[in-house]
Amino acid sequence: MSLTALQNARPETAIVLGSGLGAVAEAFGIESEVAYADVPGLSASTVPGHAGRFVLAQHHGKPILLAQGRRHLYEGLTAHEVTASIRFMHEIGVKRVVLTNAAGAIHESFHVGGLMLITDHINLQGTTPLLGGPNFHDMSEVYSRAWCEKFHAASLEIGLKLHAGVYAAMLGPQYETPAEIRMLRTLGADAVGMSTVPEAIQARALGMEVAGISMLTNWAAGLRAQTLHHAEVVEVGKTAGMYLARLLKAAV
Ligand code: HPA
């Protein structure tokens, strides 16, 4: 598909698929695709488990845009750069975006392989896409409460356990230390990851409606006797991604 065809389709809803969650796009039935490299200002991810393309699908008779793969601050990019895809979506008329990611579980009542609806975030990345302005955007409801309710209703409908909580964003690219995880828990974080927050801030600043879902791929460092490996994170994401696809299809 050409870039113009994507623009002409005028999707109003988009879903950003995180680590190992690319297969979720298949569940929607891929209609056509455009590589990020073919979109001015965007470029492909360098991280294994992240493709770099937009996929156009139809859902309930409406076009929906899926972003397979995202850029991260830990690749050495600025917060402005990692949010270029959000500004592109806004430009072509996208009004609401679901941001998904892989995250480490901190809250003891969660389970690995489960999903957490992001109700709020803590930005510990030390940067923001709004550096240089525009300033002082309200962030008291980054993740739409109305949309959260829809996700909860959809999870009940399909019989899926949906956790809810606060996502803490760390810069990465290394995983956290056990001491950092104890700190995050004290700060009120329920899950930890290295993405999503810059995109959520940018999308809100542009007036888009935002929802966030974390796939809990592992216990955060020090909570269980284990070490963390990216390959495992991607692997859990693949299996549990099927649940995420069902939830997204029911809620969006
Ligand atoms: N920490 C940070 N990012 C992550 C994790 C984690 O434990 N799991 C998946 N992404």
Side-chain angles (χ1 to χ4, degrees):
M1 175 181 51
S2 71
L3 182 55
T4 332
L6 179 71
Q7 285 160 331
N8 290 344
R10 289 236 137 230
E12 291 194 357
T13 303
I15 303 174
V16 177
L17 299 170
S19 276
L21 295 171
V24 169
E26 266 96 78
F28 278 88
I30 297 179
E31 207 159 72
S32 48
E33 55 183 78
V34 178
Y36 291 163
D38 294 334
V39 180
L42 300 195
S43 49
S45 172
T46 57
V47 187
H50 282 269
R53 61 176 189 171
F54 285 118
V55 165
L56 196 65
Q58 292 287 329
H59 188 52
H60 297 315
K62 287 192 184 149
I64 182 165
L65 184 68
L66 299 147
Q68 274 182 322
R70 59 152 60 88
R71 307 306 306 274
H72 300 82
L73 291 171
Y74 62 68
E75 295 174 66
L77 304 175
T78 65
H80 187 76
E81 285 166 332
V82 300
T83 50
S85 58
I86 299 294
R87 290 186 296 279
F88 169 75
M89 288 174 187
H90 180 251
E91 255 167 49
I92 66 168
V94 171
K95 293 187 170 38
R96 60 196 82 84
V97 60
V98 186
L99 303 170
T100 72
N101 59 47
I106 296 179
H107 198 290
E108 279 295 338
S109 75
F110 290 175
H111 70 282
V112 166
L115 299 175
M116 183 192 87
L117 191 62
I118 303 177
T119 54
D120 205 347
H121 72 225
I122 303 175
N123 181 9
L124 295 167
Q125 297 188 309
T127 188
T128 152
L130 307 184
L131 275 185
N135 303 332
F136 312 128
H137 271 279
D138 179 71
M139 291 286 146
S140 51
E141 192 185 322
V142 176
Y143 304 89
S144 153
R145 261 172 232 141
W147 219 358
C148 281
E149 276 167 29
K150 274 191 199 152
F151 272 98
H152 276 301
S155 73
L156 288 175
E157 215 173 90
I158 62 174
L160 182 97
K161 172 85 194 151
L162 183 61
H163 303 296
V166 173
Y167 175 88
M170 300 289 275
L171 180 60
Q174 71 285 350
Y175 289 116
E176 299 72 36
T177 64
E180 285 166 344
I181 294 303
R182 288 193 297 274
M183 172 192 76
L184 293 179
R185 175 179 273 164
T186 304
L187 293 180
D190 300 302
V192 58
M194 305 172 194
S195 67
T196 303
V197 163
E199 292 146 289
I201 293 170
Q202 178 65 87
R204 282 306 296 144
L206 292 169
M208 295 161 82
E209 191 177 8
V210 176
I213 300 177
S214 291
M215 151 108 19
L216 305 167
T217 52
N218 56 277
W219 282 109
L223 298 184
R224 295 292 184 279
Q226 52 159 29
T227 51
L228 299 177
H229 302 285
H230 179 63
E232 275 167 32
V233 166
V234 172
E235 209 42 52
V236 175
K238 270 186 201 155
T239 338
M242 287 161 38
Y243 293 109
L244 177 62
R246 284 177 54 209
L247 179 67
L248 288 169
K249 287 178 85 167
V252 173

